[in-house]
Amino acid sequence: MSWHNRAEKDKRPDPLRFMPARIPGPTFDTKASWSPLSLFQLFFSATVVRSIIDNTNANAVKRLQAGKKFIWRALTVSDFYVFMAIIIFSGLVNVHHRADYWRKQWPYNFAFPSEKMPRDCFEAILWSLHLSNPREDEENERKRNTAEYDRLFKIKPLYTDIVTACQANFQPNKNISIDERMVASKAHISMKQYMKDKPTKWGYKLFVLADSAIAYTWNFFVYCGKSAFTTGQGLSYSSVMDLLPFPLLGGGYTLYAEGNDLPKKAERGDLRWIRNEKLLFVKWMDTREVNMCSTVHEAFSGRTVKRQVKEAGVWQTKAIPVPDAVADYNQNMGGVDLSDALIGYYSVSHKTMKWYKTFFYHFVDIAVVNSFLLHKELFKIRNEPTMTTPHTQKTFREQPAAEMVEFAEGSAPPPPPPPPPPPPQLTCMPMYYGSNATQSRRYCRLCQDAGLPRVKTPVYCRQCQVPLCFTSKKNCFQQWHDLH
């Protein structure tokens, strides 16, 4: 087996038979009506929301018992959806300080969110936000420095549910890609990584499998350090194998993953290749040496790529020969990069020193972007005449935020009924007992008190309910009320 150059012909492998486990695209009922909020709820289901609410309430009680001073009322479904609407709104409307959203002075006089939730209420929810059960957190902490300790325990409930939802609601197309993603953070935790070649150099590293065609995030995992990999095959091998659940994907997928005898002063476009049965190894010189292996490409079929090349002191555009594997890699490897870009445009991330809150924001971003991509896929499938174009990401994000507020108002418990009006206050006024002259007379109370027990009267006070004389010659009614 020896290395070959560009002039030597390679045999193109037989194309793989594409047999996905499900039809590529959305896996739910595409004929049903799906609003932006209902698509988002595929990832933040009622069960997920209930879990976050319960754990946040439990954490708030724990903080209050520890002596923290803040006003807390039990978090409800209605409150949580308003809170989430504010989080998404903050990715659309940027201010220097979070408190500016509630300021009433121009130019910060926003109607939302101040009309839907007081600032203190929002901050209390944000401070107490918790994804795991606080009691179970304590049990996990007691296992620290042992093999049973779970470094990701505080995000596991939402982390697991989001990954499951990403896989359940979409089947990738034939070309998929795996790459690293950095989630920025300033938290002081050993799990943080440094990557000099990434725009975000400090943060948490995720390995992401995305659909190359539409950039849908289909699977991902959080990198916790070398100790988390026990296969002995290294990080590259483990990251690929952990992200590829073959029973769910099926067969025939083409995976693009970021990584044979070139001369030391090889020119741009020069290449060498070697084949071992179905496995092809390629070396190619671009601005630097590129190494790649493939089971689905021939070494070189005459494809080129445009590059700026300096010749005789003058820059000019030239067509540079490129291996087929590299050309397809450049076309299909951008799935994760495009996903990162979509998340970055309107990210909901807030500054926080709590690492698990950083992941909460990122999971919200994944849910919103995947919902947006599903919306675009539904538009292509259904070709609805009422819409000439699908939403842009900006207009799409505006919709679930507004629908969350409406949903919150609809899910809020009805206000208690107003108390019944008080009975009308009676005033002192003379009334007659009845028309019967003998049976409708009573002894006058004032006369009795004065020692005249035999004086009867048909008149009584309707407020005081006492019989009193009330004639032109004797007005006990007036005298009684003057005394009482």
Side-chain angles (χ1 to χ4, degrees):
M1 197 177 345
S2 60
W3 290 97
H4 307 275
N5 60 30
R6 187 172 69 234
E8 297 175 88
K9 186 65 177 175
D10 184 27
K11 180 182 178 182
R12 183 177 181 84
D14 294 332
L16 297 175
R17 186 180 177 188
F18 186 43
M19 299 182 295
R22 301 172 296 185
I23 298 174
T27 57
F28 46 83
D29 182 5
T30 58
K31 295 181 180 179
S33 178
W34 292 94
S35 68
L37 176 58
S38 63
L39 290 172
F40 178 83
Q41 289 173 327
L42 292 174
F43 304 91
F44 271 73
S45 65
T47 303
V48 170
V49 169
R50 186 73 261 169
S51 174
I52 296 175
I53 290 172
D54 291 343
N55 292 331
T56 299
N57 280 326
N59 188 51
V61 171
K62 179 182 176 182
R63 295 175 74 240
L64 288 169
Q65 291 173 345
K68 302 293 184 181
K69 302 296 184 182
F70 64 101
I71 297 175
W72 180 256
R73 68 176 189 185
L75 182 62
T76 64
V77 172
S78 176
D79 294 333
F80 182 78
Y81 271 97
V82 174
F83 171 78
M84 289 290 288
I86 297 172
I87 292 292
I88 295 176
F89 175 79
S90 68
L92 293 166
V93 181
N94 293 319
V95 294
H96 288 291
H97 302 286
R98 193 164 60 230
D100 291 338
Y101 290 119
W102 282 269
R103 287 178 61 185
K104 292 302 182 183
Q105 296 84 3
W106 187 90
Y108 304 105
N109 50 334
F110 304 114
F112 182 81
S114 59
E115 292 182 359
K116 299 299 179 182
M117 178 175 284
R119 178 192 167 198
D120 289 347
C121 181
F122 175 83
E123 295 291 348
I125 297 172
L126 193 61
W127 293 334
S128 301
L129 182 68
H130 216 70
L131 308 181
S132 58
N133 187 310
R135 185 183 68 257
E136 295 175 358
D137 286 346
E138 295 174 358
E139 296 175 4
N140 184 59
E141 281 300 317
R142 287 193 285 270
K143 300 174 185 176
R144 187 180 284 274
N145 299 322
T146 71
E148 296 180 357
Y149 177 69
D150 188 349
R151 297 181 71 178
L152 300 178
F153 189 84
K154 288 188 175 182
I155 65 170
K156 269 294 172 66
L158 183 56
Y159 176 19
T160 303
D161 287 333
I162 290 290
V163 171
T164 300
C166 288
Q167 296 178 6
N169 294 301
F170 184 78
Q171 181 72 16
N173 295 285
K174 183 177 181 179
N175 294 323
I176 54 179
S177 58
I178 290 178
D179 203 354
E180 299 164 334
R181 172 184 294 166
M182 293 293 287
V183 179
S185 175
K186 293 185 178 180
H188 301 296
I189 183 172
S190 61
M191 200 165 61
K192 272 200 331 183
Q193 302 290 315
Y194 174 75
M195 296 186 67
K196 65 177 182 179
D197 296 329
K198 290 287 186 180
T200 301
K201 302 189 185 308
W202 282 101
Y204 307 113
K205 182 193 294 186
L206 278 69
F207 285 90
V208 181
L209 185 155
D211 181 287
S212 296
I214 71 167
Y216 180 95
T217 298
W218 192 80
N219 196 8
F220 64 92
F221 71 83
V222 179
Y223 177 63
C224 298
K226 295 181 180 179
S227 61
F229 297 97
T230 58
T231 62
Q233 301 292 332
L235 176 59
S236 298
Y237 175 88
S238 297
S239 61
V240 171
M241 298 308 294
D242 288 349
L243 290 172
L244 287 174
F246 295 106
L248 291 178
L249 282 171
Y253 275 90
T254 302
L255 170 66
Y256 294 85
E258 191 169 18
N260 192 342
D261 182 34
L262 280 172
K264 291 183 178 180
K265 294 185 178 180
E267 294 183 359
R268 204 167 189 179
D270 201 358
L271 67 88
R272 296 291 185 274
W273 61 270
I274 190 171
R275 179 176 291 281
N276 182 3
E277 296 181 354
K278 291 187 177 182
L279 186 59
L280 170 72
F281 297 88
V282 178
K283 281 186 175 184
W284 178 63
M285 179 57 69
D286 195 12
T287 52
R288 58 183 177 84
E289 184 178 303
V290 176
N291 300 300
M292 194 166 291
C293 63
S294 172
T295 60
V296 297
H297 293 94
E298 63 178 302
F300 180 69
S301 65
R303 298 168 71 173
T304 60
V305 63
K306 299 292 185 181
R307 291 288 188 269
Q308 290 289 320
V309 178
K310 192 173 186 179
E311 293 184 350
V314 179
W315 287 98
Q316 54 184 312
T317 302
K318 291 188 66 176
I320 302 297
V322 60
D324 290 24
V326 175
D328 285 348
Y329 171 89
N330 291 336
Q331 181 178 352
N332 294 290
M333 187 56 196
V336 177
D337 291 338
L338 177 56
S339 176
D340 292 350
L342 290 171
I343 288 174
Y345 288 148
Y346 304 102
S347 176
V348 304
S349 181
H350 290 233
K351 293 180 180 179
T352 176
M353 298 305 288
K354 298 293 186 181
W355 68 272
Y356 55 89
K357 293 182 182 179
T358 298
F359 278 106
F360 169 77
Y361 296 132
H362 188 64
F363 294 158
V364 172
D365 277 328
I366 290 176
V368 173
V369 170
N370 274 0
S371 301
F372 166 62
L373 297 174
L374 290 176
H375 159 76
K376 292 176 68 177
E377 289 300 293
L378 287 174
F379 179 83
K380 289 190 292 185
I381 293 170
R382 294 159 62 167
N383 193 21
E384 295 185 2
T386 57
M387 291 184 66
T388 55
T389 59
H391 283 295
T392 64
Q393 189 189 180
K394 178 177 179 293
T395 59
F396 180 87
R397 282 180 177 259
E398 292 167 358
Q399 294 303 308
E403 291 172 13
M404 283 176 183
V405 175
E406 295 178 5
F407 184 86
E409 293 172 348
S411 61
Q425 185 69 32
L426 298 177
T427 58
C428 293
M429 182 177 291
M431 303 288 292
Y432 285 97
Y433 282 118
S435 58
N436 190 307
T438 57
Q439 296 181 356
S440 302
R441 297 171 67 87
R442 304 285 189 276
Y443 291 107
C444 174
R445 174 71 63 82
L446 189 63
C447 291
Q448 281 185 318
D449 293 345
L452 302 171
R454 306 297 296 175
V455 180
K456 285 188 174 183
T457 176
V459 177
Y460 70 98
C461 176
R462 72 170 186 178
Q463 168 68 12
C464 305
Q465 289 294 306
V466 294
L468 295 165
C469 297
F470 188 50
T471 66
S472 59
K473 296 181 178 179
K474 192 173 186 181
N475 193 346
C476 292
F477 187 91
Q478 179 183 349
Q479 294 179 38
W480 168 268
H481 288 94
D482 288 344
L483 295 173
H484 297 84

